[in-house]
Amino acid sequence: MEPIATAQAIREAEQAWFDAHPGGDLMGRAADAVAAVCTEVLRGRDLVGVLVVAGPGNNAGDALYAAAELGGLLGRTVPLWVWPVLDRTHADGLEAALAAGAVVVDAAGALTHVGGAGLVIDGFSGLGGRPGLPDAVAALVRAAADARVPVVAVDIPSGLVADSPVAHSSFVADVTVTFIARKLAHVAEPAASRCGRVELVDIGVEPPQSPWSVVTDADARAWYPFPTAASDKYSRGVVGLDTGTDAYPGAAVLGVSGALHAGAGMVRFAGAARDAVLAAFPSVVAPLDPAAPGRVQAWVVGSGWPGADGPRLSRRVADGVPLVVDAGALDTLPWLPSALPSGSLATPHAGELARLLGVRRGAVESDPIAHAGEAAGAFGVTVLLKGATQYCASPSGEVLVVPSGPAWTAVAGSGDVLAGIAGALLAAGVPALRAGALAAALQARAASALKGPHTPEELAARALPGVIAAL
């Protein structure tokens, strides 16, 4: 897992480094990294002028020192323009840029030059920046976009907030060069789309400990319960699904598809849509009496339920095995007479989580980690908050962030498939926090492998097995 650090944790890590290295130069290391990326972007471009949008802080220093290096790295003169947006900027960095031939311009001059620039370096605001941009800077951002001038952002595109996924008015970077550790805005949509490619550079500062982490390909390989020569259908995991109704049989079929194609050893079905499930998947065990489905190691419940159903959920809770609680079953959580079995997973989207917590949907979307964590603590269950970026939060406060897959997956039925995938993983013994995050990661990778407007069942059947095999 790769840690995600808060802005405050980064400041503390930097201060600890300076305490241990009096007089040390982190800015020089950062500027070298920014200059290297800028050189890569500029190579081969006919228009090579560089405009630095400089604020008053250390981000401007990184940007200005980097700009001063460009001529030497490229082996030719690079026209440089510096716009100190607030009429003041990092003094030593500006001196270095002026020594390299930079010309200071005002807002009007910046707008004049941006159309003929080969690159804009965003050094306006840093980790402590306020959300949004002043009107003059926003106008320059639009002009750069209209002229298709690439942007390299230092640490984070100005206008974004490091610890937030919200896409405020901001620069839209082609490359963001950041240091020490990734921040939430780098990985969480919609802010992440403003960051472009994120280059994480080691400048010698130890990354801080963090309860937030990004799920990586290496994690998926390590967590997936691959079968061995000693495996049988029971050891691979028997998952039960009590999903769908006569009116909504599709949810049952989709969830079973997710479970089967994610590698479940056996699927038992105990819902009303028995005939539809068996017609699609004859390998499923579906007794005529759903009250006696046989033993399972995890249940998937709620997908396709028309609403809260306390007795139906309580029957599955009584089995004492972990549950994936989805869709209609979520509304029953506040009224359950007993807690969910240990190791259970709830899978709400933002609207469902807002309803559970009694808050606005917008509040969940603007601070998803806090709200997922609140629900996990309140209900004693791991929470997978679904969306473009997905957040899996444990009652203990640990959060795994799953970066987004293609936006094509935002269709009806994706959540049903995801619940089935998660149920198969729980039944195979994967702990809830990892099962939720891994299910989301596998589905996102399946969508990446089969781009375009494919149905959820197509992604499950045609892409998911190959994605797992490729691990």
Side-chain angles (χ1 to χ4, degrees):
M1 293 178 289
E2 186 177 333
I4 301 170
T6 64
Q8 181 59 34
I10 291 293
R11 294 189 194 96
E12 292 171 358
E14 289 176 335
Q15 187 57 55
W17 188 91
F18 282 120
D19 291 344
H21 304 84
D25 180 21
L26 287 182
M27 185 171 289
R29 300 181 186 185
D32 289 346
V34 174
V37 169
C38 291
T39 302
E40 170 197 326
V41 173
L42 281 169
R43 280 206 171 98
R45 294 183 64 85
D46 294 331
L47 303 175
V48 296
V50 174
L51 172 64
V52 180
V53 182
N58 287 339
N59 267 39
D62 297 340
L64 291 164
Y65 278 119
E69 294 183 37
L70 292 178
L73 292 173
L74 289 165
R76 51 192 164 94
T77 300
V78 180
L80 300 176
W81 306 290
V82 176
W83 176 26
V85 176
L86 302 180
D87 296 324
R88 65 186 190 281
T89 189
H90 192 279
D92 292 340
L94 179 59
E95 182 179 346
L98 292 174
V103 175
V104 174
V105 298
D106 59 11
L111 276 175
T112 298
H113 288 295
V114 71
L119 175 67
V120 172
I121 305 178
D122 168 23
F124 175 52
S125 64
L127 294 183
R130 296 178 179 178
L133 295 172
D135 290 345
V137 180
L140 183 127
V141 169
R142 291 191 295 271
D146 290 344
R148 298 188 177 183
V149 178
V151 174
V152 172
V154 179
D155 221 356
I156 186 171
S158 298
L160 299 181
V161 176
D163 301 337
S164 170
V166 177
H168 301 283
S169 171
S170 71
F171 273 91
V172 180
D174 293 83
V175 187
T176 296
V177 185
T178 195
F179 317 103
I180 306 173
R182 295 182 197 273
K183 293 76 181 175
L184 185 62
H186 294 143
V187 299
E189 295 292 356
S193 289
R194 304 289 182 90
C195 298
R197 185 179 89 243
V198 178
E199 292 283 346
L200 176 60
V201 178
D202 181 3
I203 56 173
V205 178
E206 185 72 21
Q209 295 293 315
S210 173
W212 305 348
S213 302
V214 178
V215 175
T216 66
D217 287 342
D219 298 325
R221 284 192 293 274
W223 298 345
Y224 185 81
F226 291 102
T228 68
S231 298
D232 58 33
K233 61 188 177 185
Y234 300 107
S235 64
R236 289 186 61 188
V238 180
V239 58
L241 284 91
D242 186 350
T243 54
T245 61
D246 290 332
Y248 300 103
V253 174
L254 289 168
V256 168
S257 180
L260 287 172
H261 292 108
M266 180 188 292
V267 172
R268 297 187 188 273
F269 184 75
R274 177 179 183 273
D275 291 345
V277 167
L278 288 177
F281 303 108
S283 65
V284 171
V285 178
L288 288 171
D289 181 6
R295 294 181 64 182
V296 300
Q297 289 148 296
W299 276 108
V300 178
V301 296
S303 309
W305 292 12
D309 190 334
R312 190 174 180 182
L313 180 57
S314 294
R315 279 197 299 271
R316 303 312 172 199
V317 169
D319 285 347
V321 299
L323 276 70
V324 176
V325 182
D326 187 41
L330 292 166
D331 290 330
T332 308
L333 285 182
W335 317 112
L336 273 180
S338 59
L340 289 174
S342 176
S344 293
L345 174 71
T347 57
H349 57 57
E352 291 165 334
L353 185 59
R355 191 164 64 245
L356 278 174
L357 296 176
V359 300
R360 294 178 298 104
R361 180 182 183 127
V364 173
E365 292 172 336
S366 64
D367 197 352
I369 287 181
H371 287 91
E374 180 183 348
F379 299 111
V381 60
T382 297
V383 172
L384 173 61
L385 175 56
K386 299 180 292 192
T389 301
Q390 305 192 78
Y391 306 85
C392 204
S394 73
S396 66
E398 187 177 357
V399 178
L400 299 180
V401 179
V402 182
S404 63
W408 293 109
T409 53
V411 295
S414 285
D416 303 324
V417 172
L418 178 61
I421 298 170
L425 296 171
L426 280 185
V430 180
L433 183 68
R434 292 183 175 184
L438 179 56
L442 291 175
Q443 189 178 46
R445 283 158 175 75
S448 295
L450 196 64
K451 292 185 176 68
H454 297 283
T455 61
E457 61 269 28
E458 283 183 296
L459 290 181
R462 293 176 53 195
L464 188 57
V467 164
I468 292 170
L471 293 176

